[in-house]
Amino acid sequence: MDTIQVQFLGASGTVTGSKYLIKAFGKNILIDCGLFQGLKILRLENWKHLPVNAAEIDCVLLTHGHLDHVGYLPCLMKEGFSGKIHCTEPTRDIASIILKDSAKLQEEEADKANQYGYSKHKPAVPLYTLKDAELTLTHFVPEIRDAWHTLSDQIRYRFRYAGHIIGACFIELDLNGKIYVFSGDVGRVNDPLLHNPERPQKADVLFIESTYGDRMHPQDEPMDVFEKIIEDTLSQNGRIIIPSFAVERTQLLIFLLWKMRNAGKIPSIPIYIDSPMADRVMNVFLKYAEWHKLDAQTCEEMFKHIQVVKTMQESMAIVAKNQAGIIIAGSGMATGGRVLNYFAKYLGDPTATILLVGYQAEGTRGRSLLDGEKNIKFFGKIFEVRARIAYLPGLSAHADQQGLLDWVSEISNTPSKIFVVHGEKAASQALSDQLKQRYAWHSEIPELYATHYLA
Ligand SMILES: [Zn+2]
């Protein structure tokens, strides 16, 4: 009998760097190709050669367009990969936005480090350039959801709606009749923008994410909490700075702010989206109406009270302008991007609020703030934190522990193998324990770079 080999090249014992290599029936298939983020020890992995020969990988299948699932693709190309990258249409569009932005950011950061001399590397170089990202995009093959796509006589796969960001899917890989399910990132039920995630009905082998495997999202209505934070900050004439992923959570924030304003719950204060990507992501929403709940009119109207900041000059002018308001700027975990310019000016301001809305991976500045650290380092300097730090986990794009347990509830067989991935160790362990308790399923938490052989 042919053995099937699985190698964990990322998101094992951590949330970032998703990459699982499957070797089966003469094909090498990579599921996701994400960048490591957060802890330096992980980020350094992005600069090493992969422990496998990229030229021998036949194709990549992508669950969704987030950086920690697609951000390593240009490196994979540089390592010799020349195959096709399969995903849904909106994932192709989102990945295009994200990869180009990631390349530009890395080029800018290398320039800045060279200019100010704060990198240990002389000269500092980007991990990849815009040109590398553009070349990668020519390998993308957008495909329709739900239909089976054939790779060989024994191998086929399909994408199914996961409700995490626009275009996001879980993947069912059929290896000679055995179904391998890769959850990707699982969304939440009753999300204001996205439909509920679909659920797998069969899984011989299951790879399940565990970002929030050890916790439940609060029951409070996020809009009420958000409103209170805005009210408190405005009462001190302060600014609210929201580091946010350009994809999805930013659209949710704009939608909620629009609803609050329409209901007269917040005053008409300036709201800025300091991201050249925000418009482009909105266009993806307009282009793929069947992937979300917003109608075209809402898409248009919710942007009316928002000022989208495009150029760096405009951005720096807003940083300098001392005026109450709300600013949403990337990156979402404050690992880089324009939000750091706001941090440089407002982290030390006790009237300002830094509002964290998404998952903050360990090792990121967002996580340090959440953990109450008083000194944050960037631009080669230490900044003292005097601003108020607020957290709104209710806006997460990920299912919580209960959501993950519910997501597997329609699987009618007992999977012969379950790998709990994409979580920090405690979160993965907690989900593994719950799978045992609720379903009597035994699962494993694979080590980074481990290889498992399946019959
Ligand atoms: Zn994601």
Side-chain angles (χ1 to χ4, degrees), residues 106-123:
Q106 291 179 60
E107 287 184 9
E108 280 169 18
E109 273 162 24
D111 284 349
K112 211 165 182 179
N114 287 327
Q115 198 181 339
Y116 298 105
Y118 59 72
S119 168
K120 286 186 204 97
H121 306 279
K122 307 264 181 297

Side-chain angles (χ1 to χ4, degrees), residues 45-59:
E45 293 299 312
N46 295 324
W47 292 89
K48 290 185 191 162
H49 292 294
L50 273 185
V52 296
N53 184 353
E56 289 175 2
I57 297 174
D58 294 287
C59 65

Side-chain angles (χ1 to χ4, degrees), residues 340-357:
L340 293 185
N341 297 323
Y342 293 93
F343 274 18
K345 179 143 186 214
Y346 294 101
L347 268 186
D349 177 353
T351 69
T353 298
I354 312 291
L355 175 60
L356 302 163
V357 293

